[in-house]
Amino acid sequence: KDAFNRRVSEAINETAQAAFCPMTTISRMSADTRIDDTAWIDLAGLAQQIVVPIPARVHLFLNLVLEVTTPSNRAVQWRIWDGSTARAEGELRSPVGSPSTFEWSFTLQDMFDAEPETLYTLTPQGSVVVLGPVIDALTGANNNFCTFTVRVEPRSLVEE
């Protein structure tokens, strides 16, 4: 009976995966966003919503070009927020003795398993841990580098 159930599950998963190819969506910054407060601030234009038809694995890639205009030895936190859940988190600390203004590149990557027919609203956010640095996530000439990529791939339930 277990072997038969496993074969049926494999067949269902293969059929569902054939109907659902991996998909990738990319959003770009729509406006400069200033991160100068301890509150979480949404990064303009990067939020995405996904709903998948079958169990899937979601890969998250947040790439930012930042301009630090008031450096200090303080930390800035980044996260990809989904309502009440942080799907990815990271922290940057501006170096001591930095010039008065400098550009910084940052990448945050993570993944999670998505359940079928569930809405995920993924919003990249930033927050200053302790007031001090002023961080601008840049658009304009750098908008090709300020991106949020979401890749969704089918996930087999047989392996679990």
Side-chain angles (χ1 to χ4, degrees), residues 25-149:
T25 54
I26 301 174
S27 54
R28 295 186 181 350
M29 290 279 290
S30 60
D32 290 354
T33 302
R34 177 160 284 201
I35 310 297
D36 62 357
D37 194 346
T38 56
W40 287 101
I41 297 172
D42 294 352
L43 301 180
L46 291 180
Q48 294 189 31
Q49 290 186 334
I50 62 167
V51 177
V52 295
I54 64 169
R57 181 148 297 131
V58 179
H59 301 267
L60 308 171
F61 305 94
L62 176 62
N63 296 300
L64 299 174
V65 174
L66 310 168
E67 182 177 280
V68 181
T69 54
T70 309
S72 66
N73 188 25
R74 303 265 170 78
V76 179
Q77 292 180 328
W78 304 97
R79 70 181 181 185
I80 298 171
W81 191 244
D82 175 25
S84 61
T85 305
R87 297 292 177 180
E89 297 177 280
E91 184 173 293
L92 284 176
R93 184 169 293 277
S94 60
V96 176
S98 300
S100 59
T101 299
F102 65 96
E103 282 193 3
W104 213 358
S105 294
F106 174 73
T107 300
L108 178 61
Q109 299 181 43
D110 213 332
M111 67 179 152
F112 68 95
D113 290 339
E115 296 303 319
E117 304 305 324
T118 301
L119 173 66
Y120 296 93
T121 301
L122 304 168
T123 306
Q125 299 178 324
S127 173
V128 177
V129 176
V130 178
L131 290 177
V134 175
I135 311 289
D136 290 322
L138 301 177
T139 60
N142 295 311
N143 70 344
N144 289 331
F145 301 107
C146 292
T147 60
F148 178 43
T149 304

Side-chain angles (χ1 to χ4, degrees), residues 13-27:
N13 280 328
E14 287 172 11
T15 302
Q17 288 177 14
F20 174 67
C21 296
M23 60 183 177
T24 302
T25 54
I26 301 174
S27 54

